[in-house]
Amino acid sequence: MRHLFIFFIFIFVFDAVEADERSLNEKILGTWIQSKSQDGEIFYQESTYLSDGRKCSYAFTKNASGELDIDFYLSHWFIDKTNRVTAEVGLSSSEYVLKEEKFIDMITELTESKLVIEMVEPFKDLPDIYFKSPYEKGQEICDLVEKNT
């Protein structure tokens, strides 16, 4: 009887961990927006996580002298058991982000409307805050990225 009890406890804990992973994978789906400005520089990014494992992003950066830079990225992502999002770049229009480069971000907060991630690889960075877009534009963003990379 004791072994049966331990078995059920193990199954319950295992199911709870799996449900939490599924929950993160489901919550992160959709389009997320990040925008910030500092010292005359403006940055705007839209990233979409699709259920087929694609992450498509585009970003606008206007520097203090008014020059505009637009970059497009397509990567493949997954979330591991430690709440880390690994994204391997498949396409990039930027000379600074290379194909097959891996980025690993730690999810520090994920709600229905807010995503906070902190890059841990290839270098440690300050947390980035994203807000969920009220519009579902996943495939549109991926089409735009594929046309421009």
Side-chain angles (χ1 to χ4, degrees):
M1 186 62 114
R2 183 175 185 198
H3 294 293
L4 188 59
F5 178 73
I6 292 172
F7 175 75
F8 282 120
I9 293 292
F10 175 77
I11 294 298
F12 177 75
V13 169
F14 183 74
D15 282 346
V17 168
E18 271 193 352
D20 189 45
E21 285 179 34
R22 280 192 304 270
S23 174
L24 283 177
N25 281 302
E26 291 168 6
K27 277 185 183 177
I28 203 167
L29 295 178
T31 301
W32 298 88
I33 298 170
Q34 177 190 31
S35 103
K36 55 187 175 183
S37 63
Q38 181 178 349
D39 300 327
E41 182 172 294
I42 299 170
F43 178 80
Y44 177 87
Q45 178 177 358
E46 287 192 6
S47 295
T48 190
Y49 292 86
L50 300 175
S51 61
D52 64 4
R54 288 182 296 159
K55 176 186 176 190
C56 302
S57 306
Y58 67 88
F60 295 92
T61 306
K62 183 182 91 45
N63 64 22
S65 61
E67 296 170 333
L68 181 65
D69 187 40
I70 305 171
D71 293 308
F72 301 90
Y73 312 99
L74 178 121
S75 54
H76 298 279
W77 67 277
F78 67 90
I79 299 175
D80 69 15
K81 294 180 191 296
T82 61
N83 296 346
R84 292 178 183 224
V85 180
T86 298
E88 183 174 332
V89 177
L91 299 171
S92 170
S93 67
S94 171
E95 62 187 88
Y96 304 108
V97 178
L98 306 175
K99 184 176 181 179
E100 298 180 2
E101 188 170 5
K102 283 189 182 177
F103 292 88
I104 300 176
D105 298 317
M106 174 65 74
I107 298 172
T108 58
E109 183 179 346
L110 179 55
T111 67
E112 296 299 321
S113 60
K114 185 177 180 183
L115 169 64
V116 181
I117 56 174
E118 185 176 325
M119 184 184 293
V120 293
E121 287 185 34
F123 54 87
K124 194 141 179 69
D125 202 1
L126 296 173
D128 286 319
I129 301 170
Y130 293 81
F131 294 96
K132 188 83 170 248
S133 171
Y135 308 105
E136 186 46 55
K137 315 186 255 190
Q139 190 57 51
E140 291 174 48
I141 292 173
C142 286
D143 291 345
L144 180 67
V145 168
E146 289 172 351
K147 288 178 187 172
N148 289 282
T149 51

